[in-house]
Amino acid sequence: MSAVIQNDHDLIDAIDSLMRRMHDLGLPTRSMQGFYDVGEWLLCFEGAWMMAKDDPAHPLRREPSYQAIERYFADELA
């Protein structure tokens, strides 16, 4: 997975990777899945972002896919 998202394919790969990692950590992804299925990428990521945004030690913050998606949506999340 690329550290920089340059197109929709990169974004899909990053979200797939993030959702797999969330599943591995036992974190909920069901609320994100519907948004993922219809291509609402920001809304799909927002669930993970809400879990981790105020916790610098949250395990998602160390995930390259999380970091790449957060950078990609930085303007919308600000």
Side-chain angles (χ1 to χ4, degrees), residues 6 11 15 21 31-32 34 36 38-39 48 50 52 57 59 65 71-72 76:
Q6 297 180 347
L11 181 56
I15 291 174
R21 184 63 179 136
S31 64
M32 298 166 61
Y36 174 81
V38 297
M50 292 297 291
S65 57
R71 281 190 303 272
Y72 185 78
E76 289 89 344

Side-chain angles (χ1 to χ4, degrees), residues 8-76:
D8 285 349
H9 184 267
D10 293 345
L11 181 56
I12 292 166
D13 286 348
I15 291 174
D16 281 341
S17 178
L18 176 62
M19 289 178 71
R20 279 193 307 278
R21 184 63 179 136
M22 289 178 68
H23 179 74
D24 292 346
L25 292 169
L27 299 171
T29 59
R30 187 174 15 180
S31 64
M32 298 166 61
Q33 188 65 49
F35 296 116
Y36 174 81
D37 290 343
V38 297
E40 293 290 343
W41 311 121
L42 175 58
L43 293 174
C44 178
F45 173 66
E46 207 168 46
W49 180 75
M50 292 297 291
M51 282 186 238
K53 70 177 183 139
D54 294 326
D55 181 1
H58 197 286
L60 289 179
R61 297 191 63 97
R62 292 187 298 275
E63 292 300 316
S65 57
Y66 178 94
Q67 295 167 2
I69 300 166
E70 186 177 44
R71 281 190 303 272
Y72 185 78
F73 287 124
D75 290 341
E76 289 89 344

